[in-house]
Structures are given as C-alpha cells and as structure tokens.
Amino acid sequence: MASSGGIQIPSRLPLLLTHEGVLLPGSTVRFSVDSPRNMQLVGQRLLKGTSLKSTIIGVIPNSRDPEQDTDDLPALHNIGTAGIAVQVVGSNWPKPHYTLLITGLCRFRVCSLLKERPFVLAEVEQLDKLEQYTTSAAEGDAAEHGELKELSQKFYQAAVQVLDAISLEERFQKALPMLTRQIEGLKLLQRSRKMSPDKEKRVTPSGFNLDGEDEDEDGDDMAALERKIHGASMPEAALRVCLKELKRLKKMPQSMPEFALTRNYLDLMVELPWNRNTKDCLDIRSARTLLDNDHYAMDKLKRRVLEYLAVRQLKTTLKGPILCFVGPPGVGKTSVGRSIARMLGREFHRIALGGVCDQSDIRGHRRTYVGSMPGRIINGLKMVGVNNPVFLLDEVDKLGKSLQGDPAAALLEVLDPEQNHSFTDHYLNVAFDLSQVLFIATANTTATIPPALLDRMEVLQVPGYTQEEKVEIAHRHLIPNQLEQHGLTPQQLHIPQDSSRDIICRYTREAGVRSLERKIGAICRAVAVKVAEGRRLPEAVTAPPEMPIVIDHVALKDILGPPPFETEVSPTPGWWSLPNIRFMQVFVCTCRCRSASPSPVWPWVWPGHRSVGRSCSWRPVGWREKVS
C-alpha cells in the first residue's frame, strides 16, 4: 500500500509476543517460538499465507506469551516493531518449535486488540516512514553485526528505551551514552592486555606450540594466516592461488559453509612441506651394518640399496627410485622398507593399497564435493612434514577397480619419475613435487599388476628362505623378540637349533617365517605358564622347574601337538624296485641342502631333500647297488 506519506504497513497486524530480544527497525533478529499463540501465528499466518502481506507481523518486546492457551494475556508493551519474516524453520527436538528470522521495518503503536485467540491480532498505528530503513543488503549486514545489535542483546532494558524513542533526536540521546560506555570498556580492555606480561608458550620437544602456533596480539586471524602463507616457501603458482583464496575468504561471512571449506584448504596449503626436507645419511659402511643387523640374507635387496647410496654420494640431485619388492608373504618386504628409511635418516610412511578401488584415494576429491579431502599421497606428506620421505605402497598387486575409477591408473603419474615432479592432486589443484620421495612398492605377484604400472617400477624378487636361513633368522630375531614380548629371558627358555630345525621341517611349510614366529610364540606362552606357576606355589607344594627350560623333540610334541608335516615319506615304487634291476644312478642337489636322490623326478618327496617347494639342479654322481 502506498500513499503520499510513503509505504504503509497494514493497519491490522498479528502480534508475536517475545521476551528474549528487541527487534529494532533495520536489524535482523532470530526468535525461537514455542508458546501456543505464537505457534498458531506461525502455522496459520506465515506458513499458509500466499502474499507478501501475510509475512508482515508485529513484534512486541517485553511481553511473555502464556504457557496455556486458556490463560489471559498479560499487559502488552504499547510500542512494537513491524517486521517481515525472512525465514521459518521448524523442529521437533527437544519439543515442537519454530525459529523465525525477522527483519525490522518500522515502529508502530498498539491502538486496540481485535482478538486474542488463536493468536493476537491488533489495530496498529505506524510511527516511522518506511523509507528510512530501506537500506541495501550490505548496510543490512552491517547493522546486523554492528555494535547496536550487540548492545541490544546485552542491555535489554536500554534497548527497549531506544525502541520507545519515536523521534530521531531522542533515539540518538538514548543510544550515544551506551556506545560511549562500550567504547571506553574496549579501550580499557586493550590497555590491560598491553600492560599484562607475555605468557610463556608451552612447546613440546618436537617444536609444536601447545598454546597456538602463531598468536596474533590484536587477534587478527587473517593477518596471521597471510603471514603463514608467505612463510610457507611454496612455489609461485601455489602462492598466487593461496592469496586469491585468502582474498575471497576475507570477504566471506563466517556463517557461510564455504568459509570453513576455504579455511581448511588454506590451512592444508600452509602445512604441506613445500621446501622442508631431511638430510640423508650416506655412510655406506654404517648402512651395510644396519641392514645386516636388521635382516638376514636378502643380498640382492641390500646390494641395490647400497648402490643407491653410492650414486647419491656422487650426484646429489638424483631422483628417488621406484622399487617394487615381489615375493611371498612373510619374507620381510615391509620391514625392509622401514629399515631403508631408518638407514637413510628419512621419515617413513606406509600406505595400504589392498582393496582400494577409488581413484580419489590417490588423487583426492575435487573441492566442489561435500566432504572433499586430499588423496593419500598429499595427506601422507602432511603427516610426515618433509618432502623427501620413504613411502611404502603396500600390496600394490591387490588394487581394485570400480565405477569410481581405476586407482592403478592414478598411480601412473605418482610412480613415473618423468611426471611426478608436477603431481596434481584434485583437492589442491596445484602441482606438488614428488621427485625426492623414495617410493617402495610391495607385491606378492606381478601377474595382477597392470603392465603400464609394472613398467614404471624396478622389480626386485624376494625369494623364500631356505631351512638354514630360517634357523639363523629364528635365533637372531624371532626368538629374542618373542622372549621380550612374553616377559621371558634366555636364562628361562632355551630352544636349541635342532628343535628350531624340527619346528621348521615338521610344523611349518612356508616361504616366509610368520608361521614359525607363531609357533615360537606358542612355546613361549607354555613356558610362561610354567614359570608363573613355579613362582606362585611354595617349594613345599611343588618344586620349581629347572632353569633354563630346554625345548626338545618331546616338549615340542607336548606343546605343539603331533607334527602335521612328517618328513619320512616313502616314494611310490618305480623302476628301481623292479627285481631285475641291481644298480641305480645317484643324483646330488647342487643347492645348499646337498641332498641325494635316486632319480631327479622325485625331488619333492625324497626324505633327504629339505628345501621343499624349491626347484633344484640335480647332478649325477655315480651308481650304487640297490638295497632290497
């Protein structure tokens, strides 16, 4: 409705009774509605109305709506604010209620009440011209976040006095003393902060500040973030992207969902190790000693690592090699990768790829998606904090493929020395240099690795261990480790080499040593029971066991049960069992076992041949007479 005096509000307005806040013309306030009359007002007027006029309601401050619909209304404040309902949100928890977002338009005076049920309807008189408060959206946001709104929330009665002031001069007289007191209080608070001594920052041994990394004295978080961006030593392209995102962030209100997404992106860009690295330890003699102490055999792997160290001494800008350890389970591929990182003095990070079927796990999600996050490569670099770690890509032969893409194809850029200097994650959308990262992949077979991915890696075969190697590994690493895990000492448990060889031949049949370690653990648990019983029972009841407890063949059968793999195998009768054959040729295996066999066609079942499952080279050594 328009007139010569300007835009007019309706002469009859439904009234929203509130006692929580004061709505001033030009401001925007949220009100929670849960009383009967106010709920009826929202349901019958705001939700069912179809015109702009139905969204205009009157807000009466300093008035509480009765809890029961049958109760009488209290005395209403005679001055209110006409507002337009911008948003209505309903909820049933913890009880049914509505949340209204109302923008104030102008003041009005209540002339008379027309009805009290189901909601209050009154005859009103407009007191202000509506053109005074038709500001732009930017001015409305400033009013919402301004000091006057904050004062109206803190000083409720003072805000009511400002509302009651009709003329502009009177409103200034009411508001200016409040603003003056607020400004003086802020100045006093600022002076007290400057006079207080600086608090000591708590710093962990690793260098992280527990009280906040960069505390800005004036509380300007954006300035602190900008200083971090300039101090991250990132490339020029990444710096331009960060500054552009920071400029957008400064213009965003914190209530926008995109504010948190942009802030998380900038925090990640700052935390990435663009120019932070560790210095390699290139002493070949100490590296050889460390590898020999950690691992027995594996001569080919050790020789390749020492070659890399030698080349790094001669050429400091060498790119990290892409190695792939292929071998059966339990031979120590993952532990070798960890030892290489310790030998070089680098950080180590393991990425399990078994069952991964989404290429976003490697390259990350685009930031347009909800819940987007970087890929495992970028996230691993953030965790280690340096740009030259050792990355172990475990079980690379067990990558899957689905509708979300092929992760093996996404690894092509990561594992290509000619491309990974500019690896682009979808979340970052800027290039990151991976050329200094030492990638080590592990696999059980090369049959399931795509040919294009296999072509980018240097394959090193890790064969299974022989019986003699397993015995050495057991007494160097497995038995001391199990004794420590079970709280035992060598003075309490002794496993001779004959018993270890018996466990390997008769109780395990594998290329690695995992089953062997489990069997040794079972022996340690059985001995731990004996030791614990001997300590708790007095000598008068039972004699404590003699120390150390020696594990022989009889003890093995008592602890581990009957051996599942008996080595005494009778070969199937063949040509050498014929009655008219008196002599047969003898063959000797040329591997370490040096076993003898009457025929090269029975290498797997002959009792003397101990390397079960390994192909041997048999050499004839002569003839001997057949024994019937």
Side-chain angles (χ1 to χ4, degrees):
M1 295 179 293
S3 65
S4 58
I7 301 176
Q8 298 290 325
I9 62 173
S11 59
R12 295 183 176 183
L13 284 180
L15 301 184
L16 181 72
L17 309 183
T18 178
H19 62 282
E20 296 178 350
V22 177
L23 179 67
L24 297 176
S27 65
T28 302
V29 183
R30 291 187 183 272
F31 294 97
S32 181
V33 172
D34 57 0
S35 58
R37 287 183 175 84
N38 290 341
M39 294 282 285
Q40 291 292 335
L41 167 63
V42 175
Q44 297 187 16
R45 181 66 179 245
L46 297 181
L47 298 182
K48 293 184 179 180
T50 57
S51 62
L52 180 63
K53 180 181 177 181
S54 62
T55 62
I56 300 177
I57 60 175
V59 180
I60 299 295
N62 210 15
S63 302
R64 182 184 292 273
D65 190 21
E67 297 293 337
Q68 302 295 331
D69 189 33
T70 58
D71 295 343
D72 296 333
L73 282 177
L76 301 181
H77 197 78
N78 61 343
I79 301 295
T81 304
I84 182 169
V86 180
Q87 186 184 54
V88 179
V89 179
S91 177
N92 289 323
W93 190 88
K95 63 178 181 179
H97 69 280
Y98 292 102
T99 301
L100 308 181
L101 183 65
I102 303 176
T103 300
L105 299 176
C106 63
R107 291 174 173 81
F108 67 85
R109 178 182 289 109
V110 178
C111 299
S112 61
L113 294 179
L114 301 180
K115 64 176 183 177
E116 298 183 2
R117 297 182 182 87
F119 55 86
V120 181
L121 184 66
E123 187 83 21
V124 300
E125 176 188 358
Q126 183 174 346
L127 301 178
D128 300 327
K129 290 184 179 181
L130 201 55
E131 287 84 358
Q132 298 179 17
Y133 307 105
T134 54
T135 58
S136 63
E139 295 172 348
D141 290 341
E144 177 183 358
H145 298 287
E147 296 290 339
L148 189 58
K149 178 187 174 184
E150 182 181 356
L151 290 174
S152 66
Q153 295 173 350
K154 292 184 176 180
F155 309 105
Y156 183 81
Q157 296 299 331
V160 173
Q161 294 177 8
V162 176
L163 177 66
D164 292 342
I166 303 301
S167 64
L168 185 60
E169 180 180 359
E170 186 179 359
R171 286 201 294 272
F172 272 117
Q173 292 176 354
K174 299 288 186 182
L176 283 178
M178 301 165 56
L179 292 174
T180 303
R181 289 195 299 269
Q182 181 72 7
I183 293 173
E184 292 296 331
L186 292 175
K187 289 182 178 179
L188 180 63
L189 181 60
Q190 188 175 7
R191 286 197 300 269
S192 64
R193 286 179 177 176
K194 290 182 178 180
M195 293 174 59
S196 62
D198 296 337
K199 297 181 179 179
E200 295 182 356
K201 296 181 180 180
R202 294 178 295 163
V203 180
T204 63
S206 57
F208 293 99
N209 184 8
L210 298 179
D211 295 329
E213 292 184 1
D214 291 318
E215 295 181 356
D216 197 7
E217 291 182 359
D218 57 354
D220 193 354
D221 192 41
M222 293 300 172
L225 182 59
E226 187 172 2
R227 288 197 301 271
K228 290 181 181 180
I229 291 175
H230 286 288
S233 301
M234 59 182 66
E236 187 65 26
L239 182 61
R240 287 198 303 268
V241 172
C242 287
L243 293 178
K244 182 180 178 181
E245 293 293 330
L246 180 64
K247 186 177 179 180
R248 291 180 60 248
L249 186 67
K250 291 179 179 179
K251 298 179 181 179
M252 288 183 196
Q254 295 188 6
S255 58
M256 289 185 61
E258 194 176 355
F259 181 89
L261 298 178
T262 306
R263 181 57 192 265
N264 292 338
Y265 173 76
L266 292 177
D267 288 339
L268 175 64
M269 293 288 285
V270 168
E271 294 175 2
L272 284 178
W274 299 95
N275 202 23
R276 297 193 300 269
N277 53 27
T278 56
K279 186 178 180 180
D280 288 345
C281 178
L282 303 178
D283 189 356
I284 297 181
R285 182 169 301 180
S286 62
R288 180 183 286 111
T289 302
L290 189 145
L291 289 176
D292 290 339
N293 292 336
D294 287 352
H295 300 278
Y296 184 75
M298 293 189 177
D299 297 332
K300 187 176 181 180
L301 267 66
K302 295 177 183 178
R303 184 171 61 252
R304 180 63 183 88
V305 174
L306 295 178
E307 290 171 356
Y308 170 74
L309 290 182
V311 178
R312 280 283 285 113
Q313 285 186 1
L314 303 177
K315 184 176 177 60
T316 58
T317 59
L318 180 66
K319 295 181 179 180
I322 314 295
L323 304 178
C324 181
F325 298 160
V326 179
V331 295
K333 300 184 295 293
T334 303
S335 61
V336 168
R338 188 175 287 105
S339 297
I340 292 174
R342 190 158 61 94
M343 176 196 65
L344 293 173
R346 294 190 180 188
E347 298 290 336
F348 177 79
H349 184 71
R350 174 179 171 269
I351 300 177
L353 297 179
V356 173
C357 57
D358 188 356
Q359 63 101 17
S360 297
D361 283 355
I362 307 299
R363 301 184 64 99
H365 303 81
R366 300 191 184 274
R367 285 191 292 139
T368 55
Y369 296 106
V370 178
S372 59
M373 57 190 302
R376 295 193 181 186
I377 303 296
I378 296 298
N379 192 46
L381 290 170
K382 173 190 171 184
M383 293 177 62
V384 298
V386 292
N387 61 1
N388 63 339
V390 175
F391 270 11
L392 183 73
L393 306 179
D394 209 3
E395 307 294 350
V396 74
D397 59 326
K398 296 175 179 60
L399 285 170
K401 185 187 296 187
S402 66
L403 297 176
Q404 284 75 28
D406 186 3
L411 281 175
L412 295 178
E413 182 183 5
V414 177
L415 300 181
D416 193 345
E418 301 299 328
Q419 300 181 24
N420 61 8
H421 65 276
S422 60
F423 171 71
T424 303
D425 188 275
H426 288 163
Y427 185 84
L428 295 185
N429 205 23
V430 293
F432 194 94
D433 187 7
L434 299 179
S435 60
Q436 299 302 317
V437 180
L438 175 58
F439 288 101
I440 299 176
T442 66
N444 297 131
T445 178
T446 58
T448 56
I449 302 178
L453 182 60
L454 188 63
D455 182 63
R456 284 164 167 79
M457 298 184 294
E458 179 182 350
V459 178
L460 298 176
Q461 294 289 341
V462 185
Y465 298 113
T466 62
Q467 176 181 337
E468 287 75 11
E469 291 173 347
K470 289 183 180 180
V471 172
E472 288 293 330
I473 293 173
H475 285 268
R476 288 190 183 189
H477 302 287
L478 301 184
I479 294 178
N481 185 30
Q482 290 297 322
L483 290 177
E484 182 181 358
Q485 290 185 9
H486 292 85
L488 299 173
T489 62
Q491 290 74 26
Q492 295 173 327
L493 172 62
H494 175 63
I495 302 178
Q497 288 198 359
D498 292 340
S499 300
S500 301
R501 191 173 290 107
D502 202 13
I503 297 174
I504 295 169
C505 295
R506 306 178 64 189
Y507 288 91
T508 62
R509 186 160 293 180
E510 56 173 351
V513 291
R514 285 179 180 165
S515 296
L516 175 60
E517 187 174 13
R518 285 192 289 266
K519 299 299 182 182
I520 296 174
I523 295 173
C524 291
R525 289 192 296 271
V527 172
V529 173
K530 296 293 184 182
V531 173
E533 288 179 348
R535 285 184 178 181
R536 301 185 65 177
L537 295 178
E539 296 184 3
V541 178
T542 179
E546 296 182 359
M547 296 297 173
I549 299 177
V550 180
I551 303 299
D552 54 6
H553 300 285
V554 178
L556 283 179
K557 194 169 185 179
D558 293 339
I559 298 174
L560 302 180
F565 307 110
E566 286 289 352
T567 58
E568 296 181 1
V569 181
S570 298
T572 305
W575 55 269
W576 55 85
S577 60
L578 297 177
N580 58 344
I581 300 296
R582 291 188 56 193
F583 297 93
M584 60 184 179
Q585 194 174 12
V586 178
F587 294 83
V588 175
C589 177
T590 59
C591 72
R592 296 184 181 182
C593 62
R594 310 295 297 177
S595 301
S597 173
S599 173
V601 299
W602 292 97
W604 316 131
V605 298
W606 188 252
H609 188 251
R610 294 167 180 171
S611 298
V612 178
R614 294 173 60 94
S615 60
C616 295
S617 178
W618 297 89
R619 178 170 58 89
V621 295
W623 295 81
R624 68 182 177 88
E625 186 176 0
K626 183 182 69 171
V627 180
S628 58

